[in-house]
Amino acid sequence: MDITASAKSTPDNPVVDRNEWRDARLKLLELEKEETRLRDKVRAARQRLPWVKVEKDYAFDTPAGRKTLAELFDGRSQLLVYHFMLGPDWDEGCIGCSFFCDHIEGALPHLNNHDVTWVAVSRAPLEKIEAYRKRMGWNFPWISSFGDDFNYDYNVSFSDEERASGAVEYNYRKVSTNEVADEEHGMSSFYRNEAGEIFHTYSTYARGGEEVCGTLMLLDRAPFGRNETSTMSFLKRHDEYEAAPKEKGSSCCH
């Protein structure tokens, strides 16, 4: 992990007695409660959003063959799609998307039991997805939208014409093409009713999915936090970390 020397070696937190620490902690607790109440309000507002009926027919390459958007629901009424950054000419998946998806498999039984299907979608051809999946050791559903409009319509891929204009829409605003990658990430939600109609209910981009990443939430409670020099600068793919040296006598077993 890339931990900055200044963050690790020169903390400037005051050292106080237990009573003074408790007073400070109680003040922080009030902020945490305020954050929780705001999060509840945001969640309620999210679930009250109006929906948009999906009129276009989308199709995806999957290990089980070609599937429509309706078939991705796998018999459930709700679908979460993670827009995974892996373009047709990329050699490996995005580091941040890989980090995000490291958190998914343990949640799948719980999501499925709650009538929710989860799937990752990338624009890379299926064989490239399967090769990277094998490298990462993942088993979650991951499919290809190669040759389909899906990624473009949900604003995570951008046409040559859009890029030539100098600005594209990402995260609900026009941004310079210099501010976005060839592919971008996000998560979209869909509902399918008993009549088979599909509705787009929600999409989030950029930092909107951070709460799903348990590692970030844990780091936020560690003494040095995320130790970032820029957003998520500490990240590597999970097979790229070097074994961190342990301090002498720090092993829990010896």
Side-chain angles (χ1 to χ4, degrees):
M1 182 178 292
D2 298 326
I3 299 178
T4 61
S6 59
K8 188 172 183 180
S9 60
T10 58
D12 57 1
N13 304 64
V15 177
V16 298
D17 63 29
R18 176 60 61 176
N19 289 333
E20 189 173 348
W21 179 89
R22 189 175 187 279
D23 290 340
R25 180 64 184 91
L26 286 172
K27 290 180 181 178
L28 175 60
L29 181 59
E30 287 305 309
L31 280 177
E32 290 176 334
K33 289 181 177 179
E34 182 179 339
E35 179 186 40
T36 299
R37 289 190 291 268
L38 179 58
R39 189 170 64 244
D40 289 343
K41 289 177 64 176
V42 171
R43 183 171 61 245
R46 182 185 298 128
Q47 293 170 354
R48 290 194 302 267
L49 272 177
W51 295 352
V52 176
K53 187 175 180 180
V54 178
E55 304 282 5
K56 186 178 287 190
D57 294 325
Y58 297 105
F60 307 86
D61 292 320
T62 84
R66 196 78 167 159
K67 288 190 176 184
T68 65
L69 180 62
E71 290 172 317
L72 298 187
F73 283 77
D74 198 22
R76 301 181 182 93
S77 70
Q78 300 164 82
L79 175 68
L80 295 178
V81 172
Y82 183 68
H83 304 287
F84 193 115
M85 294 168 64
L86 179 56
D89 58 349
W90 292 24
D91 294 326
E92 53 190 354
C94 160
I95 294 176
C97 293
S98 301
F99 171 71
F100 181 96
C101 287
D102 279 339
H103 295 79
I104 293 301
E105 290 193 9
L108 290 182
H110 306 288
L111 290 172
N112 294 165
N113 187 63
H114 207 68
D115 196 32
V116 177
T117 295
W118 187 94
V119 63
V121 174
S122 298
R123 205 163 60 83
L126 188 62
E127 58 269 21
K128 186 164 287 190
I129 289 173
E130 288 297 301
Y132 189 65
R133 181 215 298 276
K134 182 178 180 181
R135 170 186 163 183
M136 293 288 100
W138 293 327
N139 295 299
F140 57 74
W142 190 3
I143 60 177
S144 171
S145 63
F146 183 72
D148 195 88
D149 291 339
F150 185 78
N151 279 46
Y152 297 99
D153 289 349
Y154 289 92
N155 302 112
V156 289
S157 296
F158 315 101
S159 68
D160 292 341
E161 291 76 14
E162 286 177 305
R163 287 193 170 277
S165 73
V168 300
E169 181 173 324
Y170 181 64
N171 201 21
Y172 305 103
R173 63 187 181 94
K174 284 289 186 179
V175 298
S176 167
T177 52
N178 296 326
E179 297 180 43
V180 294
D182 294 342
E183 305 286 330
E184 282 294 344
H185 68 281
M187 187 162 56
S188 295
S189 308
F190 301 88
Y191 170 72
R192 185 171 185 259
N193 65 19
E194 293 183 358
E197 298 171 310
I198 298 174
F199 303 88
H200 175 221
T201 66
Y202 177 74
S203 286
T204 188
Y205 306 96
R207 295 184 64 183
E210 275 194 0
E211 286 185 330
V212 178
C213 294
T215 303
L216 292 182
M217 302 301 103
L218 291 169
L219 285 174
D220 287 346
R221 287 152 178 81
F224 296 110
R226 302 184 189 184
N227 293 290
E228 295 175 317
T229 55
S230 59
T231 302
M232 295 174 74
S233 60
F234 61 87
L235 280 188
K236 294 182 181 179
R237 296 173 184 87
H238 64 236
D239 64 349
E240 294 174 339
Y241 288 115
E242 296 179 6
K246 295 182 178 180
E247 296 180 8
K248 185 177 181 180
S250 65
S251 171
C252 64
C253 301
H254 301 286

